[in-house]
Amino acid sequence: MTERATLAEDGLPKGMLPGDDNVGQLFTTHLRAADLYWVADDMTTLAMHAGQQLTAARWTTADRPSPIGLLVFDGGLGMVEMLPGKGGPVDALAWGPGPDQTLILWHLATRERMGAGMPPEVVQRFPPMLAIREVRLPVTADPVSLDDLPAREGMRPSRAIVAALAAAWHLMQQPQLVDRAREETPKRDARALRRAQMPDGGVTLVSLRRQYRPQDRDPDAGTDGRTYRHRWVVSGHWRNQPYGPGREQRRQQWIPAHVKGPDGAPLLATERVNVWRR
């Protein structure tokens, strides 16, 4: 992605909930300072799948890949309610600090998707991305239940979209699953950014590692003292993993699908086995 999201022509994000008088200015400030990320389609799929298994999340600076950022999801994240009774597509999420210990999460849609069915000459007058909604997430020391996120103006955040973002943040910190590659801005776009006095940090591409596959054997199998006579498939899941000095802190870590049990034992049959491959 080489174009930064911009405001609509009247200077205010379209479809924003009423709130602070400076919401448009804050949106501009966040986008100018945001680190840019492009999430490949396979990584988007994993983030949405893994997000379904999250029950709670934190939104502190330490939990984010950048204090202020913009994640563009290849393929999008589905639909969200923009205004009561009106929905819109979500192709990207931007975040930044908000008032009263909150994180503002901006929902963005590409002009192509928002302008579907409109004449091309009309669509080209749209900015590259349009902000269609913003939500406020509480920044707290303890995780917040994804089922109890606060509503504003009678509208509650989409659990699926917020969970996918939290999952993406967690997964981006697991190098055994994810590749993060820096791509420099093309020269023409870099010159345009300099003329506009905007920062140019390039774009970070986030993709699933090619060697991510269900393991043949879990290295922890049998360490609990039990004797197993079969092997079985363990689905991908989150683990509350200890880390840091003395391993006293905890963070969510995605454990890929794998086969557990002793080598050579028969695989335990089930009625249905879900296999997810790149």
Side-chain angles (χ1 to χ4, degrees):
M1 187 187 68
T2 59
E3 294 180 291
R4 287 180 179 266
T6 61
L7 293 174
E9 291 181 0
D10 61 4
L12 289 175
K14 295 293 185 183
M16 292 293 94
L17 294 174
D20 301 316
D21 293 337
N22 66 342
V23 66
Q25 179 182 353
L26 187 59
F27 180 60
T28 305
T29 300
H30 284 172
L31 290 182
R32 286 181 176 273
D35 287 329
L36 306 183
Y37 301 88
W38 175 273
V39 181
D41 57 351
D42 54 358
M43 192 67 211
T44 298
T45 300
L46 178 59
M48 296 183 69
H49 169 72
Q52 295 173 3
Q53 300 187 42
L54 279 177
T55 59
R58 292 195 322 169
W59 312 103
T60 67
T61 303
D63 296 296
R64 311 170 208 160
S66 302
I68 302 175
L70 168 63
L71 270 172
V72 180
F73 293 86
D74 191 5
L77 293 174
M79 303 290 287
V80 71
E81 189 177 26
M82 298 191 311
L83 296 170
K86 184 178 181 180
V90 179
D91 296 299
L93 296 171
W95 65 86
D100 303 322
Q101 290 294 107
T102 62
L103 180 80
I104 296 186
L105 182 61
W106 311 94
H107 298 55
L108 306 173
T110 63
R111 62 183 167 199
E112 290 78 15
R113 292 240 283 164
M114 286 297 292
M118 298 183 184
E121 60 274 15
V122 174
V123 176
Q124 287 305 309
R125 292 200 293 269
F126 291 173
M129 284 193 173
L130 298 93
I132 62 172
R133 189 179 173 190
E134 53 95 4
V135 299
R136 309 287 173 92
L137 303 173
V139 177
T140 57
D142 296 321
V144 177
S145 170
L146 294 175
D147 293 324
D148 299 323
L149 295 173
R152 293 187 69 233
E153 303 294 330
M155 296 175 65
R156 190 171 298 279
S158 165
R159 189 193 190 284
I161 288 177
V162 171
L165 177 66
W169 286 358
H170 287 309
L171 294 167
M172 288 168 68
Q173 300 179 53
Q174 294 186 235
Q176 72 272 26
L177 296 182
V178 175
D179 278 325
R180 294 173 60 171
R182 198 74 171 172
E183 184 167 298
E184 299 302 323
T185 306
K187 292 182 179 179
R188 183 185 63 180
D189 297 316
R191 288 194 296 268
L193 289 173
R194 287 195 296 270
R195 287 195 299 269
Q197 297 183 335
M198 295 180 66
D200 174 20
V203 178
T204 299
L205 306 180
V206 183
S207 59
L208 199 63
R209 292 179 67 91
R210 292 189 179 276
Q211 58 266 42
Y212 172 58
R213 293 289 188 275
Q215 301 171 8
D216 291 332
R217 182 176 181 274
D218 180 3
D220 295 329
T223 57
D224 57 3
R226 300 179 185 178
T227 300
Y228 300 114
R229 294 185 175 84
H230 296 87
R231 292 179 299 150
W232 64 96
V233 176
V234 179
S235 300
H237 59 279
W238 293 103
R239 176 184 291 170
N240 200 20
Q241 191 79 5
Y243 76 103
R247 297 174 65 81
E248 296 180 351
Q249 296 175 280
R250 294 289 189 276
R251 66 183 172 197
Q252 294 291 331
Q253 182 167 339
W254 182 254
I255 306 301
H258 57 273
V259 175
K260 190 167 184 175
D263 290 336
L267 183 65
L268 188 64
T270 58
E271 293 183 1
R272 183 179 65 180
V273 177
N274 295 312
V275 179
W276 181 75
R277 293 190 178 95
R278 179 182 170 85

